[in-house]
Amino acid sequence: MFLYNLSLQKATGCQTAVYGNFSGPKAQEIMVSRGKILELLRPDDSGKLQTVYSTEIFGVIRALAAFRLTGALKDYLVVGSDSGRFTVLEYNKEKNKMETVQLETFGKSGCRRIVPGEYLAVDPKGRAAMIGASEKQKLVYVFNRDSAANLTISSPLEAHKSHTIVFAIAAVDCGFDNPIFAAIELDYADADQDSTGEAAQEAQKHLTFYELDLGLNHVVRKWTEPVDNGANMLLTVPGGADGPSGVLVCAENFVIYKKENHADVRAVIPRRADLPGDRGVLIVAMATSKLKNTFFFLLQSEYGDIYKVTLDYKTVGEGDVVSELKIKYFDTIPTCAAICVLKTGFLFAGSEFGNHALYQFQGIGDHADDVESSSSTLMETEEGFQPVFFDPRPLRNLSLIDEMPSICPLMDLQAVELPGEETATLVTACGRGPRSTIRLLKQGVSLTEMAVSPLPGHPNAVWTVKKNTADDFDSYIVVSFVNATLVLSIGETVEEVNDSGFLGTTPSLRVGQLGDDSLMQAHPNGLRHIRADRRVNEWKTPGRKTVQRVASNHRQVILALSGGEIVYFEMEITGQLVEVDKKEMSGEIACLDVSPVPEGRQRSKFLAVGCYDNTVRILSLDPDNCLSMLATQAVACAPESLLMLDTGVGESDQESDANAEAASLFLNIGLQNGVLLRTEVDRVTGQLSDTRTRFLGARAPKLFATTVRGQQAMLALSSRPWLGYIDAGRFILAPLSYELLEYASSFASEQCPEGIVAIAQSSLRIVTVERLGEAFNQTSCKLRYTPRKFCMLPPPPGSTSGKSSSLVVVQADHGCGSTAATVAARAQAKEASKAGKESMEVDGDEEEEEEEEEEGMTPEEQFGAPKDVEGQWASCIQVVDAKECVVTSSIELDGNEAAMTVCSCTFSKLPGQQLVAVATVTDLSFYPREASGGFLHLYRVIEGGAGLQLLHKTPLDGVATAICPFQDKLVVGMGKTLRMYDLGKKKLLRKCELRTLPTFITTVQALGDRIFVGDNQHSLHYVKYRAKENSLYVFADDITPRWITTALALDYNTVATGDKFGNIMVARLPSEISDEVEEDPTGGKMIGASAHLNGAPNKLEALVQFHVGETVLALTRTELQPGGQEVLVYGTVMGGIGAMLPFTSREEVDFFNHLEMHMRQENAPLCGRDHMAFRSYYFPVKDVIDGDLCEQYASLSAELQRKIADELDRTPSEILKKLEDIRQKIC
């Protein structure tokens, strides 16, 4: 078995983020780390976050820092990773890629305790950087320039200290004095020697300053002082002319200002009034905002509260003295992994869980009624420092501008066929606490509806035109009907006009712009040329002929008349449209198209003509051999639509060379059988080559040119819309998640700079592409608590489609109170308020609008669930209608029960009834894992899948973490025990059990009479059920310990698994052993067989091993497109979704194996990690081709592409076609 791994959706979680000007001096950009992915984000003019660049580094990003050399115009990026190398990257704006500037090896690869990479700090003046390990080692690199102004770095200077754990590192801003770095350290040397443990309890953290002497070129420990043992973060205070220098130490419940030879300035962090007394307040994210004459800090606590921290200081002698530290409550947003303040007044919030957000500052926290604590009012009592309390409130200083969807953490994933859907929908349970959701992921790019307007009658075509080519926005929308043409003027409002010069009494076949300032209208009886001075020139069709098809660009118009005659017009320098030539074709013309005029040229060279004799011809438009045939391509059936897409128009030679695919001229052919052909046209000879095929839908595709990201793109309208565009040198054809469209054109206005105007039935719609590049668009349904597992219900009896849309989600949260009562009380208060308003007949339109806006985020979502004591659980079971994305039924669990897992099942004693089993645990605590007991709840599905009815509860004596239906019974995994239950009248009846499993059961799958058990530490176990003896026994297991998190039975002998370290493995029982097991119905031979190393008598073979890089939490198998191949889909905790496609031929395996090998050699990962070593992090990679690496071939330079192609005895276009074909098999 050989598999091709391809990421369908990159990880959406955020690990860390830094702000910088990476592409230019005034560019406001954010560099985000998503574990193993580096992504550059930039807010556009409308405040929407756009992904400028994203790349896989094939390594683990541990820390990021931005710096700028003195006098430079843009920032560099320093990356701390698992490569054992100090990496400095620079963003190349022209090539749209990150380039490695420096790559200095300092240690072993991997995330190790004493190898630097975990912490990173850069001198504010860009002179040096410190990279530190969790323990012992710290290295300092000095930055410099060579004679060509290129960045250089020195050899590393050591600042090691043995037996020391590091908690945080920060640079101290000391102007242009010697660079200083601060570190929070803990010396454990005494604790190591003391066996009683007293020294460990008395161990003290220290704040240490390390000074880099630039003259002597070495690092010294300058100053050290004990610091609060709750200290966890350091924040640089501006120095030199900007501030007093020093650092802020963020500790539990306190913020302390520290500086050498300066008294500590301490202030207590305000805490929520309802927070239990035993819970402290820790800072988890921070950012600095520098204004013209002042600065302030934003700190976020683990509960999501943001505080504004300011320093009052004055100059005394040669230094600045801080007199007061103030901490003021600012706002509350969801807890973040990183926050960044942009100089344009935005705050980027990279959420720890859930969607990321971009906020705009509405104020800087100057309100007098905000709660504030100060070092000057700090009061010490017998119990400690007196706390300051506040109540969180709705946003006041921040306003939400944009959200980036994130499905991190992904808890569960299944591929589901919903009623009325052509393809499988990926249903995910994701999020944490009140921000949890069930999300439906459908393949395709989402469209945002800007306007919908009904039209009189049924329109058949629409175009947009500008009055002048210099205009930024379109002037007219022209709509054609069966017997008329409607012209709409675009301004502040869209309204009908009659003085445009267009003929309104006839249908239009084509409307466009000619030259700089004239317009063209083609209709069945001729051609109308409208000059800028409103003069109109008419060309009438000869005899009884009519115009059937039209193609045009800014300088050329081609008409196809009835009878197969082609008439070619061209615009002269004087602005006059003249007839150049005619040609009789052999039959009627089905479609035709002409490419845009290349920049600097007078005309386009080629005309594409599709005929009903199943051919497409390329004709020359060169004056020397006008309308002569250059090339012919036979197609399977009659062409419906043609579009020549020249994506190299307007690009520089350098860009065109970097992206050979992007600089090509392609002819797109839509056939009447729903197939799209994409053929390359030689720019010199017009010959056709390299045809690529894609089935789009049941309807014949209509092709239209549009603009995406400033580049030409293709819109294909079949049974669903598709968008074809170039991204990172690769042509991408993605479905659009929108209803059926009949005709479309590009659209540009002040409110919608880059949109599409389209016809859907009898309405006119203006839409825009929201987030290009996303593989899925999401529909979400809010949940109450963190989802643990979900299961789809079988279709209800009598269902015509044979599909179900109902699913049951079990949810549980630790350490928080139940929100059910709060939600019910709020709903009741809202109803009472509404009834009161109605009785008083108060006009409350404005208040109602405000309420509707606030409904977007509930108080629980913004402020978090009510905090409770440790050991307290809140849990519920909800039934969700996935088709409508609504919760149809909720069951709140009491008695401190927490629902852990769920499955649908059937029992022979209740034939034809749909049942749901839910495993719960009572009083669960961790470290060690203990519980007072648990229950198996059995529910009957009622109301056609919309609700549940409790049958009975069965007490359990352990923690049940996995349940599975098996031969009209129920198999339950509890700790080390695998137990089988059957249905009883008052509870489930225990039938048999197996107690010999090693540590802790995490997954249970069943197929036939075999049960596949995944263990927490000891991988897979194959268990067989002997019905006659009513017993279970293990007959095979794995030879390698694996921490299984999810498993999926592929067939009777094969199981795919994912583990918590990010590996995917496919294990198979050898067929001869499987036959032996089946031939021994009593299991006597197996039980008597000698076990190996205290394990099962037989061992599994690992067919496939692959390191994904993120913890795999879900596996499912499905076809992602109609008629596509079945793939193995996996979901990771960071929100990444990937697919593994089995190869069908040895030839394909060899090709991609060699391509992967050459890509490893010619395109080394960005941060210096060896690709094969990364994919073999824990186990050697086996029989998996890394499609993410292979697809980077499209982004290589043309020279490098040719070099690799020559090694493979192929052409670059053949390799790109292979990559495109295999992607189409997956999605």
Side-chain angles (χ1 to χ4, degrees):
M1 178 188 287
F2 287 86
L3 300 178
Y4 182 84
N5 175 75
L6 185 65
S7 294
L8 302 179
Q9 175 176 285
K10 294 180 179 179
T12 56
C14 173
Q15 177 210 17
T16 185
V18 292
Y19 160 76
N21 312 121
F22 299 104
S23 60
K26 293 185 179 180
Q28 304 294 308
E29 293 163 334
I30 304 142
M31 191 67 74
V32 178
S33 158
R34 305 195 188 279
K36 59 191 180 75
I37 291 161
L38 206 56
E39 200 165 277
L40 183 64
L41 305 179
R42 183 189 301 151
D44 61 16
D45 296 336
S46 61
K48 300 287 186 183
L49 277 171
Q50 301 294 337
T51 302
V52 180
Y53 170 77
S54 179
T55 185
E56 174 104 38
I57 71 152
F58 302 107
V60 178
I61 301 171
R62 304 166 74 187
L64 294 178
F67 76 96
R68 182 181 300 194
L69 294 174
T70 305
L73 296 177
K74 65 177 186 176
D75 294 337
Y76 292 93
L77 182 74
V78 186
V79 182
S81 68
D82 65 338
S83 64
R85 295 181 171 189
F86 183 78
T87 309
V88 181
L89 304 176
E90 180 185 14
Y91 177 67
N92 188 322
K93 186 179 178 181
E94 285 72 29
K95 296 181 180 178
N96 188 29
K97 64 184 293 188
M98 296 295 290
E99 295 178 340
T100 304
V101 180
Q102 294 291 338
L103 202 60
E104 185 74 21
T105 303
F106 56 71
K108 291 182 177 180
S109 61
C111 297
R112 303 170 189 265
R113 287 194 311 170
I114 63 168
V115 176
E118 186 67 24
Y119 302 105
L120 203 53
V122 180
D123 175 61
K125 300 299 180 185
R127 297 171 296 169
M130 173 179 276
I131 185 167
S134 302
E135 189 178 331
K136 184 182 178 182
Q137 292 193 12
K138 290 181 285 294
L139 298 173
V140 176
Y141 287 88
V142 180
F143 299 130
N144 219 320
R145 288 191 181 98
D146 61 12
S147 57
N150 296 318
L151 174 70
T152 61
I153 60 172
S154 69
S155 298
L157 305 174
E158 294 183 355
H160 304 339
K161 189 173 187 299
S162 61
H163 298 90
T164 301
I165 296 174
V166 179
F167 290 87
I169 289 177
V172 179
D173 191 347
C174 48
F176 286 99
D177 292 342
N178 282 334
I180 295 176
F181 298 95
I184 299 175
E185 300 177 340
L186 177 68
D187 192 321
Y188 64 87
D190 295 339
D192 256 5
Q193 305 298 324
D194 182 19
S195 59
T196 63
E198 293 179 5
Q201 292 179 354
E202 296 172 0
Q204 180 67 44
K205 288 182 180 179
H206 284 74
L207 177 66
T208 307
F209 278 20
Y210 292 89
E211 182 179 8
L212 167 62
D213 192 319
L214 292 172
L216 299 176
N217 200 32
H218 72 165
V219 182
V220 295
R221 286 167 59 89
K222 186 179 184 183
W223 174 72
T224 185
E225 186 177 84
V227 73
D228 194 301
N229 263 356
N232 67 312
M233 295 186 89
L234 289 174
L235 184 57
T236 303
V237 176
D242 299 326
S245 185
V247 293
L248 287 181
V249 180
C250 301
E252 188 173 11
N253 298 321
F254 297 99
V255 174
I256 311 156
Y257 172 77
K258 277 189 170 288
K259 183 182 177 184
E260 188 180 2
N261 301 324
H262 191 291
D264 289 359
V265 183
R266 175 190 298 256
V268 67
I269 301 174
R271 59 189 290 125
R272 296 187 183 185
D274 61 349
L275 198 63
D278 60 339
R279 283 180 178 251
V281 179
L282 278 173
I283 300 300
V284 296
M286 54 193 182
T288 305
S289 177
K290 290 185 182 180
L291 305 176
K292 271 192 175 181
N293 301 316
T294 184
F295 62 88
F296 63 87
F297 310 100
L298 293 180
L299 308 180
Q300 189 185 34
S301 74
E302 57 189 313
Y303 308 114
D305 304 316
I306 294 181
Y307 306 97
K308 178 188 176 184
V309 179
T310 54
L311 297 174
D312 289 346
Y313 64 96
K314 58 185 177 181
T315 303
V316 177
E318 295 182 359
D320 294 323
V321 176
V322 175
S323 57
E324 188 177 10
L325 169 65
K326 298 177 182 177
I327 306 177
K328 180 183 282 191
Y329 172 62
F330 190 75
D331 260 332
T332 299
I333 63 175
T335 309
C336 297
I339 57 175
C340 301
V341 176
L342 281 65
K343 290 184 179 178
T344 48
F346 292 108
L347 173 76
F348 171 73
S351 296
E352 189 178 23
F353 304 114
N355 295 347
H356 313 302
L358 186 70
Y359 297 90
Q360 188 169 31
F361 284 96
Q362 302 296 321
I364 55 172
D366 291 336
H367 303 93
D369 58 341
D370 282 337
V371 174
E372 181 180 74
S373 73
S374 170
S375 59
S376 61
T377 59
L378 188 66
M379 293 180 62
E380 190 169 6
T381 63
E382 294 180 357
E383 298 177 353
F385 292 98
Q386 185 172 345
V388 177
F389 296 101
F390 72 93
D391 290 315
R393 51 162 169 74
L395 294 178
R396 176 192 282 185
N397 297 302
L398 297 173
S399 173
L400 181 64
I401 298 297
D402 187 30
E403 274 194 327
M404 287 192 76
S406 170
I407 58 173
C408 169
L410 186 148
M411 305 297 290
D412 200 4
L413 176 145
Q414 290 184 30
V416 177
E417 291 188 8
L418 296 176
E421 296 288 340
E422 294 180 356
T423 58
T425 300
L426 297 182
V427 182
T428 64
C430 52
R432 194 184 90 167
R435 297 185 74 209
S436 301
T437 53
I438 282 285
R439 301 204 190 188
L440 274 65
L441 306 184
K442 298 180 182 178
Q443 270 194 297
V445 180
S446 59
L447 291 180
T448 302
E449 228 171 49
M450 306 294 288
V452 178
S453 176
L455 293 172
H458 192 88
N460 52 31
V462 64
W463 301 272
T464 56
V465 288
K466 300 176 182 177
K467 288 182 180 178
N468 195 297
T469 51
D471 293 345
D472 293 327
F473 306 123
D474 293 318
S475 303
Y476 297 119
I477 298 176
V478 183
V479 185
S480 174
F481 295 87
V482 177
N483 56 0
T485 297
L486 176 69
V487 183
L488 304 172
S489 175
I490 305 170
E492 292 184 2
T493 59
V494 176
E495 53 189 20
E496 184 179 354
V497 292
N498 298 315
D499 59 348
S500 60
F502 292 107
L503 191 62
T505 57
T506 180
S508 296
L509 298 175
R510 178 96 176 185
V511 171
Q513 190 172 8
L514 287 177
D516 292 334
D517 53 7
S518 62
L519 303 175
M520 176 274 297
Q521 178 189 15
H523 52 86
N525 297 318
L527 181 64
R528 191 177 178 90
H529 182 203
I530 306 163
R531 308 290 288 267
D533 54 5
R534 289 290 186 270
R535 286 184 299 155
V536 176
N537 296 333
E538 286 270 6
W539 179 88
K540 297 290 186 181
T541 55
R544 295 185 177 181
K545 290 191 175 183
T546 58
V547 180
Q548 301 288 328
R549 304 285 184 268
V550 185
S552 68
N553 55 32
H554 283 304
R555 301 196 60 84
Q556 298 159 289
V557 181
I558 299 95
L559 305 181
L561 306 184
S562 54
E565 184 180 359
I566 291 178
V567 184
Y568 171 44
F569 296 86
E570 190 173 309
M571 178 172 276
E572 291 184 333
I573 300 175
T574 59
Q576 187 71 27
L577 192 65
V578 297
E579 182 180 332
V580 177
D581 204 351
K582 292 182 180 180
K583 184 180 178 68
E584 289 281 350
M585 302 297 288
S586 57
E588 291 285 348
I589 295 171
C591 49
L592 71 163
D593 192 57
V594 61
S595 63
V597 180
E599 191 174 351
R601 300 290 180 88
Q602 193 173 355
R603 65 180 63 84
S604 173
K605 291 176 63 176
F606 306 118
L607 169 69
V609 180
C611 300
Y612 286 109
D613 59 357
N614 296 357
T615 59
V616 175
R617 296 175 171 87
I618 299 294
L619 305 184
S620 172
L621 295 180
D622 197 293
D624 297 335
N625 55 347
C626 192
L627 296 183
S628 63
M629 193 165 64
L630 300 177
T632 304
Q633 177 167 336
V635 291
C637 67
E640 172 72 18
S641 180
L642 298 175
L643 178 65
M644 297 186 80
L645 201 62
D646 188 353
T647 51
V649 171
E651 291 186 354
S652 66
D653 293 338
Q654 184 180 6
E655 288 173 327
S656 297
D657 182 64
N659 294 322
E661 173 99 356
S664 300
L665 176 63
F666 280 93
L667 172 62
N668 298 275
I669 308 168
L671 304 182
Q672 290 185 353
N673 59 5
V675 170
L676 174 71
L677 302 180
R678 189 162 162 267
T679 302
E680 187 173 355
V681 182
D682 189 287
R683 288 181 179 275
V684 179
T685 64
Q687 294 299 309
L688 301 175
S689 62
D690 189 19
T691 302
R692 308 178 192 185
T693 306
R694 182 75 182 263
F695 178 72
L696 300 189
R699 290 182 53 178
K702 295 179 181 178
L703 309 179
F704 305 94
T706 186
T707 305
V708 170
R709 290 178 179 171
Q711 288 190 334
Q712 287 195 22
M714 175 185 68
L715 194 64
L717 305 183
S718 181
S719 50
R720 65 187 299 190
W722 296 73
L723 183 68
Y725 61 98
I726 296 287
D727 183 44
R730 183 165 54 88
F731 182 80
I732 295 175
L733 188 62
L736 299 177
S737 293
Y738 201 70
E739 61 183 273
L740 182 68
L741 299 176
E742 297 168 14
Y743 208 94
S745 177
S746 61
F747 176 80
S749 70
E750 197 170 348
Q751 295 79 16
C752 179
E754 203 174 76
I756 297 167
V757 58
I759 290 171
Q761 295 178 350
S762 60
S763 63
L764 190 69
R765 301 177 185 235
I766 298 174
V767 295
T768 182
V769 179
E770 189 65 29
R771 296 191 186 278
L772 202 63
E774 291 185 356
F776 300 96
N777 69 87
Q778 303 177 7
T779 310
S780 62
C781 173
K782 293 181 181 179
L783 301 177
R784 195 175 289 175
Y785 308 115
T786 304
R788 301 294 169 173
K789 288 286 181 184
F790 73 89
C791 74
M792 292 299 301
L793 295 178
S799 171
T800 55
S801 64
K803 300 177 182 178
S804 171
S805 62
S806 297
L807 55 94
V808 180
V809 193
V810 292
Q811 308 157 46
D813 270 330
H814 179 244
C816 75
S818 171
T819 60
T822 312
V823 172
R826 187 166 62 247
Q828 190 175 357
K830 187 177 176 182
E831 288 294 327
S833 173
K834 188 176 179 182
K837 286 179 183 178
E838 289 175 357
S839 62
M840 295 171 64
E841 295 183 356
V842 175
D843 184 13
D845 291 344
E846 294 182 3
E847 293 182 10
E848 285 178 9
E849 287 178 6
E850 289 178 6
E851 284 181 8
E852 286 176 4
E853 289 177 2
E854 289 178 3
E855 281 179 2
M857 183 175 280
T858 62
E860 288 80 18
E861 289 178 79
Q862 185 184 353
F863 309 137
K867 303 297 180 286
D868 211 324
V869 296
E870 189 175 346
Q872 185 67 34
W873 287 82
S875 182
C876 73
I877 304 165
Q878 290 187 321
V879 182
V880 177
D881 184 343
K883 188 69 177 173
E884 302 296 330
C885 271
V886 292
V887 175
T888 58
S889 174
S890 297
I891 301 172
E892 191 77 16
L893 299 181
D894 51 12
N896 206 24
E897 275 189 81
M900 291 286 107
T901 186
V902 62
C903 76
S904 63
C905 55
T906 58
F907 291 95
S908 55
K909 295 178 182 178
L910 291 176
Q913 290 200 28
Q914 301 174 10
L915 303 175
V916 173
V918 177
T920 67
V921 60
T922 309
D923 302 326
L924 177 64
S925 62
F926 302 97
Y927 310 114
R929 186 189 292 264
E930 292 177 346
S932 61
F935 293 95
L936 272 178
H937 296 237
L938 195 63
Y939 295 93
R940 178 186 285 117
V941 179
I942 58 174
E943 300 172 9
L948 299 176
Q949 180 185 31
L950 180 66
L951 285 181
H952 50 62
K953 290 170 63 173
T954 305
L956 298 175
D957 54 0
V959 179
T961 51
I963 56 178
C964 176
F966 176 75
Q967 296 182 358
D968 286 339
K969 297 179 181 64
L970 192 66
V971 176
V972 181
M974 292 183 300
K976 300 180 180 181
T977 304
L978 184 70
R979 188 175 292 167
M980 189 178 295
Y981 286 90
D982 203 350
L983 184 66
K985 289 185 178 180
K986 294 185 178 180
K987 66 176 183 178
L988 292 172
L989 305 177
R990 189 186 305 183
K991 287 299 180 184
C992 63
E993 66 180 27
L994 178 68
R995 297 184 179 182
T996 59
L997 294 164
T999 54
F1000 190 82
I1001 296 172
T1002 54
T1003 66
V1004 176
Q1005 295 271 313
L1007 205 61
D1009 59 356
R1010 290 183 183 178
I1011 303 170
F1012 309 105
V1013 181
D1015 189 80
N1016 191 36
Q1017 296 180 16
H1018 290 271
S1019 195
L1020 280 174
H1021 296 75
Y1022 282 28
V1023 178
K1024 191 171 178 65
Y1025 174 61
R1026 292 185 294 169
K1028 290 184 178 179
E1029 288 79 9
N1030 190 31
S1031 63
L1032 300 165
Y1033 69 97
V1034 178
F1035 66 88
D1037 62 10
D1038 196 5
I1039 59 173
T1040 311
R1042 298 176 194 270
W1043 279 250
I1044 301 295
T1045 55
T1046 182
L1048 178 69
L1050 300 180
D1051 61 37
Y1052 201 52
N1053 296 325
T1054 313
V1055 178
T1057 66
D1059 66 34
K1060 76 179 218 178
F1061 298 114
N1063 302 299
I1064 287 180
M1065 185 265 292
V1066 177
R1068 176 173 289 170
L1069 184 69
S1071 56
E1072 58 273 11
I1073 296 176
S1074 178
D1075 294 340
E1076 283 182 24
V1077 174
E1078 295 305 313
E1079 290 168 3
D1080 183 20
T1082 64
K1085 291 181 183 177
M1086 289 297 160
I1087 294 176
S1090 59
H1092 302 288
L1093 301 175
N1094 297 322
N1098 301 300
K1099 298 299 174 185
L1100 304 175
E1101 293 179 351
L1103 297 183
V1104 164
Q1105 293 185 142
F1106 186 75
H1107 180 69
V1108 174
E1110 299 160 10
T1111 302
V1112 180
L1113 288 184
L1115 289 168
T1116 185
R1117 57 193 291 186
T1118 185
E1119 294 175 5
L1120 291 174
Q1121 60 177 349
Q1125 274 188 248
E1126 193 175 46
V1127 293
L1128 178 67
V1129 179
Y1130 60 86
T1132 68
V1133 70
M1134 286 288 285
I1137 297 174
M1140 288 186 162
L1141 172 76
F1143 283 105
T1144 54
S1145 71
R1146 186 72 203 186
E1147 181 188 354
E1148 280 191 331
V1149 173
D1150 292 340
F1151 170 78
F1152 283 103
N1153 223 334
H1154 284 86
L1155 177 60
E1156 183 185 38
M1157 180 184 69
H1158 287 294
M1159 288 296 295
R1160 283 177 182 150
Q1161 295 171 353
E1162 304 293 344
N1163 187 41
L1166 203 58
C1167 292
R1169 187 79 163 104
D1170 182 77
H1171 175 267
M1172 180 172 278
F1174 174 71
R1175 291 305 187 193
S1176 307
Y1177 222 113
Y1178 294 90
F1179 305 99
V1181 62
K1182 183 180 180 186
D1183 294 350
V1184 180
I1185 307 297
D1186 189 358
D1188 295 337
L1189 177 66
C1190 293
E1191 289 208 336
Q1192 289 187 0
Y1193 177 84
S1195 62
L1196 299 179
S1197 65
E1199 182 184 352
L1200 207 51
Q1201 285 185 2
R1202 283 193 294 270
K1203 181 181 177 183
I1204 295 174
D1206 291 342
E1207 295 285 343
L1208 296 173
D1209 292 330
R1210 307 261 181 162
T1211 63
S1213 59
E1214 287 176 342
I1215 295 176
L1216 291 169
K1217 185 179 179 182
K1218 279 271 190 184
L1219 290 168
E1220 194 175 312
D1221 288 345
I1222 198 162
R1223 175 175 270 275
Q1224 287 179 13
K1225 290 179 182 177
I1226 298 174
C1227 62

